Amino acid sequence: MNIEDNIQKLLNKREEAKKGGGEKRIQSQHSKGKFTARERIDMLLDEGSFEEYDMFVTHRTTEFGLDKEKYLTDGVITGHGTIDGRVVYVFSQDFTIFGGSLSETYAQKICKIMDQAMKVGAPVIGINDSGGARIQEGVRSLAGYAEIFQRNIMASGVIPQISAVFGPCAGGAVYSPALTDFVLMSKENSYMFVTGPKVAKTVTGEDISTEDLGGPDVHGKKSGVAHFIAEDEDEGILLIRKLLTYLPQNNLEDPIVTECNDPIDRKEDLLNEIIPANPNQPYDVTDVIYSIVDNGEFLNVQRNYAQNIITGFAKFKGMPVGIVANQPNYLAGVLDINASRKAARFVRFCDAFNIPIVTLVDVPGFLPGSAQEYGGIILHGAKLLFAYGEATVPKITITLRKSYGGAHDVMGSKQLRGDINYAWPSAEIAVMGPDGAIEVLEGKYIRSIEDEEERKKYKRKKEKEYRDRFANPYEAASYGYIDDVIEPRNTRFRIIRALRSIASKKDLNPPKKHSNIPL
Ligand code: HXC
């Protein structure tokens, strides 16, 4: 064969690989409103940056007549490219080939790019659209999954791992995305479950649709499995690109500081008035977040899950930070099981990847009641406590209003190695709220007052006394637990200055194999 023929052979093979499972299946993919695996990679990466590996891989199975049915790539497209000029590794499951199902060789392709990403120190992005284990391959497929899981685990906390789910993701296959740092689902076509509706019906008798069992609404709102729900695949891809702007390449690097024209000393007068006069009246803490961060840009993580706490990424003078904020607008910002789990995982992610944490506190306490106690709020609350106490990244805490009881300690307090703790003049930092405290201290006496008016008057008087004495920032500030009481409108400036001043801080944890966070 001469050189031209050789080259032609290569080009033909490339063309063949690009056809995936064939034109008909590509059309079927498009007719469902889905992009193909290759189109998704093209959308995700900088134009022309994709370098594909293992295009010529095929499976090695002979059973079920598969020796006569082989497709180049074997159902997953793998390689590396750049996003905003930064190297990332990607795999994209190709539903047009055996429904994107995972074979031994397919798993080896994914493992190859994961191994290289680890050596290089670059993020891995996986796009999931698969019928799960390739049934014809039996246990070799299960072994392939486990090889990937093991790498997900080793890569955790070393390189950022992001999963997009744009199609089916079922059975044990869900555990690879679950082991990664962020899971994104598209509103159309995506679902995740360990066992599908048919098995649910057989085993438990439950009659439930795919959507109701594992659709994006379920994982965005109820289970918390998904961190982002995108309207469609286009938006999902943009979200992943945006997310990366807040993350470093790996745990040994810092997140990238970008140019920012938003003035450092921008004062926000509305913040001086945002806290309602009535301490029981809610307000939207995202108004505080949007007004203090660069250009009002905030990437809300798990937006619809445990909305009593807000987690997400923003920048201060171009420096990426993770923000954790109690949300008085939802369940009064109380800490419950889901909020604790959500924030704990977020804090740990930030700590693993050198992203400073800014905490905005307005928390009345932990949610009381049997449902929470039976559900293990003790353990889940301890996760958040643990996450804050273990974190060595710069930690800045601003107490906006309530900070009561155990929840005060948990939310980035000074004693959990909070580096800089500020409070607004409206802060109420105490063991408990005035009504609770007066009930404990004077309840018996109050109930003994016969005249109702007198009783109410006395209670109000005592509550006021308690509020004036304890429920303010100055008691904590007098002990140095609060470094300064700041004017709300200066918050942006004070945070930026604080971040700059402690950028080089070093905190160490004692040597150990790993901690034993109360899981
Ligand atoms: C081999 C598969 C496959 C699989 C789909 N296909 N899933 N081939 N192994 N797991 C093939 C189909 O035969 C079909 O081939 C093509 O992919 C498209 O599938 P359709 O069924 O036509 O597509 P659709 O109607 O969109 O339905 C998609 C689906 C369904 C819901 C995913 O295919 C399905 O239920 N598949 C089986 C899912 C499953 O039970 N997987 C194993 C789970 S256990 P043709 O040639 O017609 O195009 C598991 C364990 C993992 O994954 C454990 C890890 C630890």
Side-chain angles (χ1 to χ4, degrees):
M1 214 186 271
N2 63 29
I3 290 178
E4 268 175 28
D5 288 345
N6 266 342
I7 303 268
Q8 195 52 49
K9 186 177 174 191
L10 169 66
L11 295 179
N12 290 346
K13 274 192 169 286
R14 285 206 191 289
E15 272 314 299
E16 185 190 333
K18 284 180 182 164
K19 286 196 185 115
E23 203 46 53
K24 228 170 113 192
R25 292 193 183 95
I26 292 176
Q27 270 173 20
S28 160
Q29 179 86 346
H30 284 157
S31 71
K32 292 177 198 155
K34 290 161 76 174
F35 288 105
T36 65
R38 284 184 187 281
E39 287 164 346
R40 288 164 177 161
I41 288 182
D42 284 347
M43 288 153 65
L44 177 68
L45 299 180
D46 296 340
E47 203 180 333
S49 70
F50 183 49
E51 290 286 344
E52 185 170 346
Y53 290 166
D54 293 337
M55 191 184 236
F56 308 116
V57 164
T58 54
H59 68 72
R60 300 178 196 126
T61 307
T62 52
E63 290 90 348
F64 300 95
L66 278 204
D67 48 336
K68 293 179 198 69
E69 193 177 2
K70 290 194 178 194
Y71 301 91
L72 294 180
T73 74
D74 197 31
V76 64
I77 318 296
T78 57
H80 63 82
T82 60
I83 291 183
D84 295 329
R86 294 164 59 188
V87 176
V88 295
Y89 283 76
V90 286
F91 68 85
S92 182
Q93 300 177 333
D94 185 349
F95 193 81
T96 70
I97 298 176
F98 301 118
S101 59
L102 185 137
S103 70
E104 181 188 18
T105 42
Y106 175 129
Q108 284 166 354
K109 285 181 65 173
I110 294 179
C111 290
K112 185 193 268 189
I113 62 120
M114 292 181 80
D115 289 343
Q116 201 166 100
M118 280 289 274
K119 287 183 199 167
V120 170
V124 172
I125 301 164
I127 302 177
N128 296 263
D129 186 2
S130 162
R134 189 167 302 166
I135 295 164
Q136 299 91 330
E137 294 228 354
V139 290
R140 280 177 291 144
S141 168
L142 300 188
Y145 272 115
E147 293 281 357
I148 296 170
F149 299 157
Q150 181 62 41
R151 282 165 177 78
N152 287 135
I153 295 161
M154 292 298 104
S156 183
V158 180
I159 50 174
Q161 302 181 81
I162 301 169
S163 302
V165 180
F166 288 158
C169 183
V174 295
Y175 287 115
S176 178
L179 289 166
T180 64
D181 299 303
F182 297 100
V183 176
L184 177 145
M185 294 177 81
S186 60
K187 268 197 180 157
E188 299 290 318
N189 296 313
S190 76
Y191 56 88
M192 298 175 79
F193 37 64
V194 175
T195 46
K198 282 186 195 144
V199 180
K201 175 87 182 146
T202 317
V203 177
T204 68
E206 187 183 13
D207 218 340
I208 190 162
S209 69
T210 299
E211 179 79 11
D212 289 343
L213 189 61
D217 237 29
V218 170
H219 293 308
K221 287 184 188 152
K222 293 191 173 132
S223 72
V225 167
H227 299 82
F228 302 101
I229 305 298
E231 281 300 317
D232 50 29
E233 293 186 23
D234 299 82
E235 192 189 78
I237 296 282
L238 286 177
L239 265 167
I240 293 172
R241 290 182 63 103
K242 179 85 188 156
L243 173 62
L244 275 174
T245 64
Y246 298 104
L247 314 184
Q249 287 293 90
N250 56 65
N251 65 330
L252 299 178
E253 292 181 19
D254 288 329
I256 292 164
V257 178
T258 46
E259 276 292 307
C260 165
N261 300 323
D262 195 350
I264 301 176
D265 55 356
R266 177 166 55 76
K267 290 190 198 310
E268 285 291 336
D269 290 338
L270 77 94
L271 293 183
N272 276 11
E273 276 140 41
I274 199 164
I275 302 291
N278 175 354
N280 295 325
Q281 200 177 314
Y283 60 93
D284 189 345
V285 79
T286 60
D287 288 341
V288 178
I289 297 172
Y290 286 120
S291 69
I292 58 177
V293 300
D294 288 354
N295 305 311
E297 279 182 39
F298 176 61
L299 183 63
N300 200 330
V301 177
Q302 292 189 302
R303 176 194 290 269
N304 294 319
Y305 177 72
Q307 294 175 57
N308 33 334
I309 203 154
I310 306 272
T311 53
F313 297 107
K315 292 186 179 180
F316 281 104
K317 196 61 189 165
M319 288 175 277
V321 300
I323 295 184
V324 180
N326 309 112
Q327 171 58 290
N329 236 0
Y330 194 91
L331 294 176
V334 76
L335 278 180
D336 59 4
I337 291 169
N338 291 348
S340 302
R341 286 177 47 229
K342 169 180 171 179
R345 185 155 165 80
F346 183 75
V347 165
R348 293 194 101 211
F349 174 82
C350 291
D351 187 47
F353 289 101
N354 312 317
I355 301 169
I357 298 161
V358 174
T359 305
L360 304 178
V361 183
D362 190 342
V363 62
F366 282 97
L367 184 61
S370 58
Q372 291 290 307
E373 295 297 345
Y374 297 174
I377 183 69
I378 295 175
L379 284 179
H380 298 292
K383 284 180 184 144
L384 184 54
L385 178 60
F386 201 113
Y388 267 112
E390 189 185 37
T392 56
V393 286
K395 291 183 279 192
I396 294 167
T397 301
I398 318 277
T399 304
L400 312 184
R401 189 170 62 174
K402 297 172 191 172
S403 184
Y404 285 127
H408 161 76
D409 277 3
V410 169
M411 293 299 301
S413 65
K414 195 59 150 181
Q415 291 70 24
L416 295 184
R417 298 194 290 187
D419 294 298
I420 297 183
N421 294 57
Y422 291 146
W424 284 5
S426 45
E428 305 169 20
I429 304 170
V431 173
M432 60 174 77
D435 40 354
I438 295 309
E439 173 56 32
V440 173
L441 298 176
E442 306 238 17
K444 238 188 209 160
Y445 174 69
I446 289 172
R447 277 187 294 279
S448 76
I449 303 174
E450 283 182 8
D451 181 73
E452 194 186 338
E453 263 319 296
E454 275 302 305
R455 196 164 58 235
K456 280 189 185 155
K457 207 168 131 199
Y458 182 81
K459 188 164 177 269
R460 272 201 303 273
K461 180 174 154 257
K462 284 290 161 186
E463 284 179 5
K464 183 173 181 320
E465 275 173 25
Y466 178 90
R467 186 180 301 283
D468 292 346
R469 172 70 182 86
F470 295 111
N472 60 57
Y474 301 105
E475 174 81 357
S478 76
Y479 293 104
Y481 305 158
I482 291 294
D483 297 301
D484 196 8
V485 180
I486 64 171
E487 211 184 322
R489 66 186 184 140
N490 294 335
T491 303
R492 171 176 167 78
F493 173 65
R494 298 298 293 263
I495 290 177
I496 292 174
R497 216 152 63 169
L499 280 168
R500 282 186 173 167
S501 70
I502 56 169
S504 61
K505 89 161 241 211
K506 294 269 179 294
D507 249 342
L508 285 178
N509 293 332
K512 51 181 129 176
K513 186 169 176 193
H514 59 69
S515 56
N516 187 18
I517 186 166
L519 292 172

